[in-house]
Amino acid sequence: MTTAGTDEQRDPHGAPVVRTAAGAVRGRREGGLSVFRGIPYAAPPVGEARFREPRPPRSWDGVREAYAFGPPPPQEPGFQGSAAGADPPAGDDWLTVNVWTPETGPRAPRPVMVWIHGGAYKLGHAGSPGFDAQHIARAGDLVVVSLNYRLGAEGFAWIEGAPANRGLLDQVAALRWVRENVAGFGGDPGRVTVFGQSAGAGSVASLTAMPRARGLFRRAIAQSVPGTFFSPELAADVGRALAARAGLRPTAHDLSTADPHALAGASAALSAGMAADADRWGLLAPTSTPYSPVVDGEVLPATPWQALADGAGRDVELVVGHTAREYQLFVVLGGLQGRVTEERAAGALRLCAPGGAAGERAYREAFPDAGPAELFERVQSDWLFRMPSLRLAEAQVAGGGRAHVYELTWPAPGAGGALGACHNLDVPLLFGTYHADLGRLLFGDGEVPEAAGHLSECFRTAWTGFARTSDPGWPAYDPEERRVRVLDAEPRVGRYPEEASRRLWRDHRFGALSGRVPPA
């Protein structure tokens, strides 16, 4: 195996140069950091490589400029982030990494944090301004790596003749790139922490369960783990529906004839129609998200909850948590604020609560003073993010591992205070990017509150401290004591705040979702 050089180099103008296994790259010094963007970790997944496992990157001669983020993978319209505030670059070099490091070279190697972005497994780009990792790298004196991976149909659709979970396989390839190359960027390949939010957290959870990822990281941070993992039957139904939208058969041979961006358009049409077909899509209908990791028995042998309970993650230290009002972001974005009727709330309770009609009654009894809007938001926050996150920690402990749990309760100041501590609020707080991407909605255009700056420091101190020492600053989770970090204007350690929801879900098993499969 070719290995990267670890000698520190500078070009005649003082720009940092690092030799990777595929060739040398030149970055830039920015604010006391060396920053490298758009380094290929795998070959473009096009042509014969489309819908296949990632392949090693093509090598190059000379020194490659690593100044610009790589192009975002093909995805549905609605992608909000862009590279450095400009239009994202074009091209098919989708599988790239970016590196922020205080110092290149092998002296005193630093811990490494690898960021996996979210976006419902169908949207996003590591080059989005909201994921600028300079504050994390600088505050923790460590190396931060971010990566692109295949999204939507390219990365997660179940396609006959193609391996499942290609987006997860891309992430494994990126982690292998880190193991082989990060020493040249000043990082320690033996001290790698993966961290991600939403679909990125689902990816982190998946990686803890994947045999192919074993040994590639020591620690993991999962922010708002979604409970959507698919059975092969459900994934196959989604694949058939996608192919029908594109006018093709659901095979790798046929779908490879479609332009990737055109296929993303067919995916968008499929997403838009899911809410109106709850009989077919069940729990997927309100998410309008036709992609998730598939429990295929090979790439992903079991759900993360089952795998961790069986001990798959006992050697990986874990931080996992969620926000207090996860689903409120989607209420506001969906134009439902102030418009949730009793009928709509009852439908959400029957669909999402464990036990159907019995679950609806249990929620109403547990929260007797809650109106339709609160019940609608609460049950969907619970099933989609809050309880999957908590149960992941419980599974980790049951399997002999260690987990630390948190909840973010500080409310977002944007949108007139309508958002509360909603989904994604932790991202601009962690990165300190309050006015980028969704941060523009979450924080508005005004001055950032002092409490936000304090919470940002708390997030970065906890996350980087965990990456460095395995201690985020609060006790490990115990299923009996249930002590967690509550992140508010005055952070504290206390009992898990969502005790009523925990009781409602304590006997529920988060397994692979199955939908009604129509005749082929």
Side-chain angles (χ1 to χ4, degrees):
M1 178 178 65
T2 303
T3 56
T6 58
D7 51 314
E8 184 176 12
Q9 302 178 50
R10 298 277 175 166
D11 73 2
H13 302 288
V17 176
V18 173
R19 180 166 53 85
T20 74
V25 292
R26 179 188 294 112
R28 287 174 169 159
R29 289 295 292 178
E30 300 177 6
L33 300 172
S34 292
V35 182
F36 301 79
R37 299 179 174 93
I39 306 172
Y41 69 82
V46 296
E48 292 183 359
R50 193 172 176 194
F51 302 127
R52 302 298 178 192
E53 294 194 19
R55 300 178 181 181
R58 297 176 294 219
S59 59
W60 58 86
D61 297 324
V63 179
R64 179 184 179 125
E65 291 185 348
Y67 299 160
F69 293 111
Q75 55 196 271
E76 296 182 18
F79 168 53
Q80 296 182 357
S82 61
D87 290 335
D92 56 17
D93 231 339
W94 307 322
L95 305 184
T96 59
V97 293
N98 318 293
V99 182
W100 290 258
T101 179
E103 184 181 12
T104 60
R107 293 192 298 272
R110 293 165 166 83
V112 181
M113 298 187 71
V114 179
W115 170 251
I116 302 175
H117 70 77
Y121 304 104
K122 64 180 184 177
L123 298 170
H125 177 217
S128 294
F131 305 144
D132 183 347
Q134 60 171 310
H135 299 301
I136 300 174
R138 196 176 293 119
D141 189 34
L142 44 69
V143 179
V144 182
V145 179
S146 66
L147 61 104
N148 284 342
Y149 56 99
R150 279 175 285 183
L151 303 168
E154 302 296 317
F156 291 94
W158 182 277
I159 299 171
E160 182 183 334
N165 299 306
R166 297 171 298 280
L168 298 180
L169 294 174
D170 292 345
Q171 296 166 15
V172 171
L175 288 169
R176 287 177 178 153
W177 183 95
V178 168
R179 182 180 61 186
E180 296 170 8
N181 295 283
V182 81
F185 296 87
D188 184 348
R191 286 192 293 167
V192 174
T193 299
V194 292
F195 67 127
Q197 183 266 349
S198 195
S203 296
V204 167
S206 298
L207 291 167
T208 65
M210 290 172 60
R212 299 192 196 201
R214 201 149 294 152
L216 294 177
F217 56 95
R218 181 188 295 185
R219 300 179 181 115
I221 302 172
Q223 304 169 213
S224 302
V225 179
T228 52
F229 283 72
F230 289 1
S231 67
E233 294 76 19
L234 176 57
D237 192 19
V238 171
R240 287 191 293 267
L242 170 69
R245 291 279 184 178
L248 297 166
R249 294 186 305 163
T251 66
H253 178 271
D254 279 30
L255 289 172
S256 65
T257 65
D259 177 83
H261 297 281
L263 194 58
S267 177
L270 173 61
S271 296
M274 292 182 73
D277 197 358
D279 287 343
R280 179 175 187 178
W281 301 119
L283 282 167
L284 292 191
T287 71
S288 296
T289 301
Y291 306 108
S292 281
V294 182
V295 184
D296 66 312
E298 182 180 349
V299 176
L300 187 59
T303 66
W305 304 279
Q306 184 63 56
L308 265 60
D310 290 341
R314 65 166 58 100
D315 296 328
V316 175
E317 294 153 326
L318 177 67
V319 167
V320 61
H322 55 75
T323 72
R325 300 187 66 192
E326 292 275 3
Y327 202 77
Q328 186 64 14
L329 173 68
F330 307 103
V331 170
V332 172
L333 290 178
L336 295 176
Q337 182 70 7
R339 298 174 56 195
V340 177
T341 63
E342 175 60 37
E343 181 181 9
R344 189 184 290 269
L349 287 165
R350 287 192 294 269
L351 180 64
C352 301
E360 178 188 359
R361 291 193 297 272
Y363 259 86
R364 294 185 185 279
E365 292 170 1
F367 305 102
D369 298 327
E374 181 181 342
L375 289 169
F376 180 81
E377 177 265 311
R378 183 178 291 276
V379 71
Q380 296 191 87
S381 291
D382 282 343
W383 93 263
L384 188 53
F385 295 113
R386 296 198 307 190
M387 295 304 106
S389 299
L390 178 67
R391 297 293 287 277
L392 192 74
E394 294 175 344
Q396 172 75 338
V397 175
R402 190 177 72 179
H404 300 261
V405 177
Y406 73 90
E407 180 177 72
L408 172 61
T409 56
W410 184 78
L419 290 159
C422 67
H423 189 67
N424 200 79
L425 177 59
D426 48 329
V427 174
L429 287 171
L430 173 61
F431 283 87
T433 51
Y434 311 110
H435 298 304
D437 304 341
L438 273 176
R440 295 190 293 265
L441 171 66
L442 298 170
F443 287 88
D445 299 325
E447 185 175 347
V448 176
E450 183 178 350
H454 178 55
L455 269 177
S456 282
E457 291 181 8
C458 288
F459 264 105
R460 287 192 290 274
T461 298
W463 269 220
T464 59
F466 177 71
R468 185 173 295 280
T469 68
S470 80
D471 181 7
W474 70 91
Y477 184 78
D478 178 271
E480 298 299 324
E481 292 292 327
R482 295 191 291 280
R483 295 179 69 78
V484 306
R485 181 73 157 173
V486 180
L487 291 160
D488 211 317
E490 295 293 335
R492 67 187 189 278
V493 175
R495 297 273 289 186
Y496 180 63
E498 311 302 338
E499 178 62 14
S501 292
R502 187 194 69 82
R503 290 178 176 274
L504 289 170
W505 288 83
R506 62 186 171 188
D507 296 326
H508 178 78
R509 176 179 176 270
F510 283 97
L513 297 179
S514 296
R516 179 181 65 82
V517 181

